[in-house]
Amino acid sequence: MKQSDRDRAVRLLWEPQPESSRGPKAALSQSRVVEAALKVADAEGVEAITMRRVAETLGFTTMSLYRHVPGKSELLDLMVDAAWGETAPTPAGPWRDGLEHYAGEVWRMYRAHPWMLQLTTSRRTPGPRAMAAFDRALAVVAELGLKPEEMVAVVTAVGHFVDGVGRTMADRVKAERETGVSEEAWWDGQDALWEHFTPERLPMMTHIWNTGGYERPIGEFEFGLARVLDGLAVFIESEERQREAQVVRRETCL
Amino acid sequence: MKQSDRDRAVRLLWEPQPESSRGPKAALSQSRVVEAALKVADAEGVEAITMRRVAETLGFTTMSLYRHVPGKSELLDLMVDAAWGETAPTPAGPWRDGLEHYAGEVWRMYRAHPWMLQLTTSRRTPGPRAMAAFDRALAVVAELGLKPEEMVAVVTAVGHFVDGVGRTMADRVKAERETGVSEEAWWDGQDALWEHFTPERLPMMTHIWNTGGYERPIGEFEFGLARVLDGLAVFIESEERQREAQVVRRETCL
DNA sequence: AAGCTAGGTGTACGTTGTACACGGTTCTAG
DNA sequence: CTAGAACCGTGTACAACGTACACCTAGCTT
């Protein structure tokens, strides 16, 4: 990626485009392209996001999209930021409620747009709406006397967990869409696989299976999030840290 | 995917192939193909795993690979299980040490093979080595009197966190490889982006930036893992659960 | 010795993102 | 009021991908 490409991507996301007045009136627009791409992605997954496919749903030719979007990569940038724009801003309040709300919103977003988790995120130009969401999550832990780098660490820890659960959820959704077979039905059909799940090879898994552990699965998101927040509480509310916090609060003049 | 394809994939992973004696001697072998593919993926990322590219590094034609591997999807299955085979088995001992060891091994694996995190995992046929690793992690929490489904939830919570951190790490590695620019240098070059990071728009982030929070980042893996384990400790060692555990232990006769 | 089996090769097809050239439309400068 | 610049949408073309298929040949089995 060249410097010029970067700057273009930044302008695309952060600056409202001036809407040129010359030339013929545009039958298409950037927002319509992004909207159409979102619809395609939600319904059919990442691999359905092809320039041809998006153009087709809009009733235009493939190349017409390039008049409104520099390329596919930038289209993805715009889609991602549009999705973040749908999340409700984290309200002020106790840190635990705030982080729970933040995690819940991200989780809701991932469930609505599982394709997001199949995209590479690094070096993707961050958009204003995604940044705003992150900023608001940081605000939730602002008053606890944490060091600046600790605030970042706390919020990203929650983010990483949600990303992790989200990814396995996204994979599941994708698989169900592609095969038309529910997760449960699929595993039921794996007879050839089950034969190899012997107590000698996988003692714990067979034991858990036999005692019905897989028949009452625990909500992965809720359970894991509660643990993560418990862990953060230990850190945030530790007496030692609370004492240090006095100093930090004075030094950083928050 | 058809049933026959599934069964074939299962046999491929779980049953040693019989090595036919008819026909010309094979100059190539499945393990050599997998090995070569791993080397390519480690060095150049997922998108470099093309049948042509792998064949080329072996000095054979593209189509020769299909004599040893049914297709690309199955090749990926084999690569993933090979990577899991490199992890050290979680030893017996206190649950916290065990889970920490498990997380550490998975983390090491992801760092050595970041391409794993770019692959869709669901409906990918699980291999014996991956399952063995998971089974051993379960064994670590076997003696705590947890309900079977709780054991699964505890281990997957750790797994989800590692997946989450791993993903952002993998993205970073991928970006650095592709652009030849380090993460730090890349952000430094984002002047066009920084201009938009104003205190009105992103109050917390600019504050953290100004107080040097981004200059001393906290190890995301270590910090987050410690919090997750703290949270699990709260759950595992809660008095209420300890009392129930007596009953569970009696019922399941573990 | 005959024949089946399996390994490696070469060609070919449909899909992908997008570069490039082209023609038509509409605002703006003179 | 008119020339021309700017911009929109289209069509063609190309390289890279996975892999189906037909082919020749080597070597074990009968």
Side-chain angles (χ1 to χ4, degrees), chain A:
Chain A
M1 199 191 303
K2 284 168 306 203
Q3 180 69 44
S4 58
D5 290 348
R6 277 195 233 171
D7 291 355
R8 188 184 55 183
V10 169
R11 272 195 303 277
L12 191 73
L13 283 158
W14 291 82
E15 297 167 23
Q17 62 277 27
E19 166 108 30
S20 72
S21 57
R22 287 272 253 268
K25 266 179 206 132
L28 217 47
S29 68
Q30 186 175 100
S31 57
R32 279 189 64 202
V33 172
V34 174
E35 204 182 323
L38 271 167
K39 215 171 284 179
V40 171
D42 290 346
E44 302 170 47
V46 243
E47 63 286 350
I49 317 175
T50 68
M51 300 307 265
R52 287 172 228 269
R53 184 88 186 69
V54 173
E56 194 183 304
T57 69
L58 284 164
F60 287 82
T61 59
T62 311
M63 292 311 292
S64 69
L65 303 189
Y66 286 88
R67 293 287 166 195
H68 305 276
V69 143
K72 190 181 180 182
S73 169
E74 289 86 354
L75 173 56
L76 294 173
D77 286 344
L78 289 164
M79 292 170 66
V80 168
D81 207 53
W84 278 100
E86 292 171 9
T87 60
T90 308
W95 72 265
R96 185 156 179 149
D97 294 348
L99 287 184
E100 198 164 350
H101 180 272
Y102 172 69
E105 282 300 304
V106 176
W107 176 241
R108 268 186 359 107
M109 176 182 76
Y110 284 158
R111 288 214 298 189
H113 311 293
W115 48 267
M116 290 181 76
L117 289 150
Q118 244 108 282
L119 261 41
T120 300
T121 54
S122 183
R123 304 291 171 93
R124 171 140 284 138
T125 310
R129 292 191 268 254
M131 287 319 234
F134 187 62
D135 201 84
R136 267 192 276 240
L138 284 170
V140 154
V141 294
E143 309 291 342
L144 304 172
L146 293 170
K147 293 183 201 137
E149 62 270 30
E150 286 173 342
M151 295 192 235
V152 177
V154 164
V155 175
T156 34
V158 174
H160 282 146
F161 169 74
V162 181
D163 281 6
V165 205
R167 230 185 96 80
T168 74
M169 178 273 299
D171 281 351
R172 196 142 48 204
V173 168
K174 178 179 139 107
E176 299 200 350
R177 182 177 6 82
E178 282 172 7
T179 63
V181 177
S182 80
E183 186 77 2
E184 211 179 290
W186 189 80
W187 287 109
D188 280 353
Q190 285 286 22
D191 294 339
L193 184 57
W194 298 137
E195 287 172 20
H196 298 284
F197 279 46
T198 57
E200 305 84 53
R201 239 179 156 150
L202 303 170
M204 286 308 300
M205 295 191 66
T206 47
H207 173 257
I208 289 173
W209 175 263
N210 291 333
T211 53
Y214 290 113
E215 286 159 27
R216 344 167 258 279
I218 293 178
E220 298 183 338
F221 175 71
E222 293 79 9
F223 178 85
L225 181 60
R227 295 318 125 231
V228 171
L229 293 175
D230 280 353
L232 290 173
V234 172
F235 175 72
I236 289 170
E237 288 152 17
S238 79
E239 304 227 348
E240 191 185 355
R241 247 217 63 262
Q242 301 265 11
R243 242 178 294 121
E244 282 182 43
Q246 305 283 343
V247 187
V248 174
R249 230 188 287 267
R250 217 170 328 122
E251 278 173 2
T252 62
C253 305
L254 190 69

Side-chain angles (χ1 to χ4, degrees), chain B residues 15-187:
Chain B
E15 297 167 21
Q17 64 274 26
E19 164 111 28
S20 72
S21 58
R22 287 274 252 265
K25 263 178 208 136
L28 216 46
S29 69
Q30 185 173 100
S31 57
R32 278 190 64 202
V33 172
V34 174
E35 202 182 325
L38 271 167
K39 214 171 285 181
V40 170
D42 290 347
E44 302 170 47
V46 242
E47 63 284 353
I49 315 176
T50 69
M51 300 306 265
R52 288 173 229 266
R53 183 88 186 70
V54 173
E56 194 183 304
T57 70
L58 285 163
F60 287 83
T61 61
T62 310
M63 293 310 293
S64 68
L65 303 188
Y66 286 88
R67 294 286 165 196
H68 304 276
V69 143
K72 190 181 179 181
S73 170
E74 289 85 352
L75 173 56
L76 293 174
D77 286 343
L78 289 164
M79 290 169 68
V80 168
D81 207 54
W84 278 100
E86 292 171 10
T87 60
T90 308
W95 71 267
R96 186 159 178 144
D97 293 348
L99 287 185
E100 197 164 350
H101 179 272
Y102 174 68
E105 282 300 303
V106 176
W107 176 239
R108 268 186 359 107
M109 175 182 77
Y110 283 158
R111 288 215 299 186
H113 311 292
W115 48 267
M116 291 181 77
L117 289 150
Q118 244 107 284
L119 262 42
T120 301
T121 53
S122 183
R123 303 291 170 92
R124 170 139 286 138
T125 309
R129 290 189 271 252
M131 287 321 234
F134 187 62
D135 201 85
R136 267 192 275 238
L138 284 169
V140 155
V141 294
E143 308 291 342
L144 305 171
L146 292 171
K147 293 182 200 138
E149 62 271 28
E150 287 173 341
M151 294 194 238
V152 177
V154 164
V155 174
T156 34
V158 173
H160 282 147
F161 168 75
V162 180
D163 281 5
V165 206
R167 231 185 96 79
T168 74
M169 177 274 298
D171 281 351
R172 197 143 45 206
V173 168
K174 178 179 140 102
E176 300 202 350
R177 184 180 0 83
E178 282 173 6
T179 62
V181 178
S182 80
E183 186 77 1
E184 211 180 292
W186 190 79
W187 287 108

Side-chain angles (χ1 to χ4, degrees), chain A residues 134 138 148-149 152, chain B residues 204-206 208-209 211-217:
Chain A
F134 187 62
L138 284 170
E149 62 270 30
V152 177
Chain B
M204 287 309 300
M205 295 190 68
T206 47
I208 289 173
W209 175 264
T211 51
Y214 291 113
E215 287 159 26
R216 341 168 261 280

